[in-house]
Amino acid sequence: MGARKKISAEKRKEALKTMYFAKLQNVPTSPRKMRLVADMIRGMEVNRALGVLKFSSKEASARVEKLLRSAIANWEQKNERKAESGELFVTKIYVDGGATLKRMRPAPRGRGYRIRKRSNHVTLFVDSKSTNDNQN
């Protein structure tokens, strides 16, 4: 069984070399609020997505904008050239729940109310439209 897992891990590493992504972990906002921002830019062209995020009033949009810029830079680094406008698209973006800090708030009659301070992990994939057409 150990050899089997090692092979799949190696395949996963090889597959990640051809993907262009960026991760943001342990963001101190709830996953639900972050998903609202992620849904706004899913499938968009990156320059348009950057504009949408820049002028969004949501607090989480500033973090996602920085993450998107990082993913674009990763694409440029792997392809050794600058991305042209209209070339890159947000192919996948997903938000997973992270660790939850549990706190207690004093309540009447000696009780305590639970407070859950949630966090999340965001993963954003960018790719050019031509490679997406070849895969489908």
Side-chain angles (χ1 to χ4, degrees):
M1 273 216 177
R4 188 178 197 185
K5 284 186 180 180
K6 187 168 178 84
I7 292 170
S8 64
E10 289 172 3
K11 281 185 181 178
R12 195 173 328 119
K13 282 184 180 178
E14 286 297 318
L16 286 176
K17 286 180 183 176
T18 60
M19 293 182 176
Y20 313 102
F21 65 98
K23 283 184 182 179
L24 185 61
Q25 295 188 320
N26 297 316
V27 184
T29 59
S30 72
R32 187 174 181 179
K33 290 177 184 175
M34 189 62 86
R35 282 186 192 112
L36 289 172
V37 175
D39 291 342
M40 287 194 306
I41 64 162
R42 186 174 284 121
M44 266 190 196
E45 194 268 321
V46 292
N47 291 329
R48 186 164 176 231
L50 285 170
V52 167
L53 292 170
K54 187 168 184 69
F55 295 106
S56 172
S57 61
K58 301 245 178 245
E59 188 260 344
S61 64
R63 292 188 170 120
V64 175
E65 180 185 358
K66 192 172 180 180
L67 179 70
L68 180 56
R69 288 185 191 280
S70 175
I72 294 167
N74 291 344
W75 185 90
E76 289 173 348
Q77 185 69 35
K78 284 185 178 179
N79 289 305
E80 298 176 351
R81 65 185 180 92
K82 284 284 195 186
E84 298 166 18
S85 63
E87 183 181 11
L88 286 180
F89 290 83
V90 177
T91 53
K92 287 190 278 185
I93 179 170
Y94 51 86
V95 180
D96 299 321
T100 302
L101 299 174
K102 295 176 177 88
R103 301 288 181 259
M104 293 298 281
R105 168 174 240 144
R109 296 184 167 183
R111 290 178 305 193
Y113 291 152
R114 246 189 240 120
I115 293 180
R116 291 179 207 88
K117 298 188 176 195
R118 300 178 191 274
S119 67
N120 63 65
H121 309 307
V122 186
T123 308
L124 189 145
F125 289 84
V126 294
D127 210 349
S128 57
K129 201 65 170 176
S130 60
T131 53
N132 290 345
D133 293 338
N134 294 342
Q135 289 174 354
N136 291 337

